[in-house]
Amino acid sequence: MCDQSTPFVDDPATDPALLRTLAAAGLPATGRFRPKSGWVSRAWVGDEYVVRLNTNEQFRDAYRHEARVVNLLTGSEVPHARHIAHGDGPDGPWYVSERLPGTSLCDAWPVADSHTRQAIIESLGIALRALHRVPVTADLLPPWLADALVGKPWPAYHPPVVSATPQQVEAARQRPGHDSRLLADVADWIQERLTLFATDKPVLVHGDLHGSNVIVDQGRVTGLIDFAEALAQPADAELDTILRWCARAREYPPTPDEQGLDETTLTEVPGWLHGAYPELFEREHLRERLNFYDMHMELALYAHHPQPHIREAAQDRIARLLSGHNHLDEVIW
């Protein structure tokens, strides 16, 4: 996503794609817009609106899904950017939302003092509790993920879906050169732990919650953004993503050309979040549940990633996870 707070020093809207999108949304091409790049989109941050164009055909239904999820938040206590309009145009799928006050947590974090950082995370805990109370149907999935789970290509590898984890083992077995003994151990490991989730009630989970997708201002969260990967899963699937970000923040840069945060600055985040939203940490067998989510992630990479070195790294992490170790060893909550 994009920073929503930098002063506007650019020219008024002149980009033809931006002008076409504003016209399609029924909005005037007035004010100044600052262009931003993202992982799968082009974006312009205006005085009142944020305009995004999807640049990846594999995710062309992402904005439709995001609009559906954001509309579920209407009337809730979840801080979010109001959906203005979305559609398809000659430049691709587009989405317009209100501009929130503040900047991304990633941008705010390095210059914030410890007191402000704690206030931000406590505010995030309150926002997450509200999010997980929003009514949602149990079948909510991003369109690309629903397609991937029935055998179509995987354009991305998150978030985890508990019920789909066994089929990732089968997908990995279709890969030439797979480690059959490792996958047999993984299959047994998964079956032993599926019962941990038998009584779960799915809630609305953001699915990609890290520093780039949280907007903050003056020590509080003003909005959760980018709900394109939201889905119905157990609430602690959200915790899995947050703790993964805390442990491996450098792997979560805001854009391909930027750097993620230094993990050593996030060591207190889990404890602060626990204080604000203790229920998120109170599941029985929490560590094993988090390990299960991690296994889903690594299996998806091992089974579907096109780059051999990424699959090899996932294989190594799977073996380490089977021995009881992963990134959570470095996280204290």
Side-chain angles (χ1 to χ4, degrees):
M1 187 48 192
C2 49
D3 172 10
Q4 301 192 16
S5 68
T6 303
F8 293 91
V9 297
D10 294 45
D11 294 331
T14 57
D15 188 294
L18 172 60
L19 293 173
R20 284 190 290 267
T21 303
L22 290 170
L27 298 172
T30 57
R32 295 179 181 271
F33 285 84
R34 181 170 48 84
K36 294 285 289 184
S37 62
W39 286 92
V40 295
S41 67
R42 298 176 64 195
W44 296 267
V45 182
D47 300 281
E48 299 181 63
Y49 309 112
V50 177
V51 179
R52 287 181 288 159
L53 281 177
N54 191 320
T55 58
N56 188 322
E57 181 65 25
Q58 293 177 305
F59 298 101
R60 69 169 299 108
D61 290 327
Y63 292 156
R64 175 175 57 82
H65 178 71
E66 182 168 356
R68 175 188 176 189
V69 173
V70 169
N71 288 336
L72 292 175
L73 306 181
T74 302
S76 75
E77 296 181 0
V78 182
H80 64 282
R82 182 170 53 92
H83 165 245
I84 305 298
H86 71 284
D88 286 281
D91 304 292
W94 54 268
Y95 187 101
V96 181
S97 59
E98 69 172 329
R99 176 176 170 258
L100 296 168
T103 186
S104 73
L105 187 154
C106 269
D107 287 338
W109 198 258
V111 298
D113 59 26
S114 180
H115 175 77
T116 302
R117 290 177 176 181
Q118 181 174 356
I120 289 171
I121 299 305
E122 289 175 349
S123 178
L124 176 61
I126 294 169
L128 288 177
R129 181 189 287 111
L131 177 68
H132 296 159
R133 290 176 176 173
V134 173
V136 64
T137 59
D139 61 350
L140 180 72
L141 284 175
W144 69 262
L145 183 54
D147 289 344
L149 294 178
V150 296
K152 295 183 180 179
W154 280 68
Y157 307 96
H158 48 76
V161 179
V162 170
S163 62
T165 307
Q167 73 190 67
Q168 298 313 308
V169 178
E170 299 309 313
R173 284 173 171 154
Q174 304 307 310
R175 274 280 185 184
H178 68 269
D179 186 329
S180 57
R181 180 174 297 180
L182 176 73
L183 291 178
D185 291 341
V186 169
D188 291 342
W189 187 97
I190 290 170
Q191 289 302 319
E192 291 172 0
R193 288 161 176 79
L194 278 172
T195 56
L196 298 176
F197 304 89
T199 61
D200 282 337
K201 179 181 178 181
V203 302
L204 179 58
V205 169
H206 181 283
D208 192 25
L209 199 68
H210 50 78
S212 297
N213 290 335
V214 179
I215 303 298
V216 302
D217 188 39
Q218 299 181 16
R220 67 181 182 89
V221 172
T222 57
L224 309 180
I225 62 172
D226 195 355
F227 283 88
E229 297 186 30
L231 73 169
Q233 281 295 288
D236 55 1
E238 199 91 87
L239 181 60
D240 168 70
T241 303
I242 295 169
L243 296 181
R244 188 187 312 276
W245 169 61
C246 289
R248 294 156 56 177
R250 289 180 177 85
E251 300 177 16
Y252 292 81
T255 70
D257 299 325
E258 298 181 78
Q259 293 184 338
L261 293 175
D262 178 353
E263 292 90 353
T264 62
T265 70
L266 300 172
T267 55
E268 293 184 276
V269 166
W272 290 334
L273 185 64
H274 185 283
Y277 187 5
E279 310 96 290
L280 191 61
F281 294 76
E282 290 174 354
R283 296 305 304 262
E284 190 175 5
H285 307 297
L286 178 62
R287 175 62 189 258
E288 283 300 309
R289 290 169 62 92
L290 293 172
N291 287 347
F292 190 97
Y293 297 133
D294 190 29
M295 181 64 80
H296 176 97
M297 300 278 288
E298 300 300 346
L299 275 174
L301 290 169
Y302 186 50
H304 302 288
H305 204 283
Q307 298 181 20
H309 74 281
I310 299 294
R311 295 198 303 274
E312 290 172 6
Q315 179 177 326
D316 291 342
R317 288 193 293 266
I318 289 170
R320 186 164 180 261
L321 187 53
L322 288 175
S323 70
H325 300 284
N326 64 357
H327 62 275
L328 294 175
D329 294 344
E330 311 301 323
V331 179
I332 300 174
W333 68 81

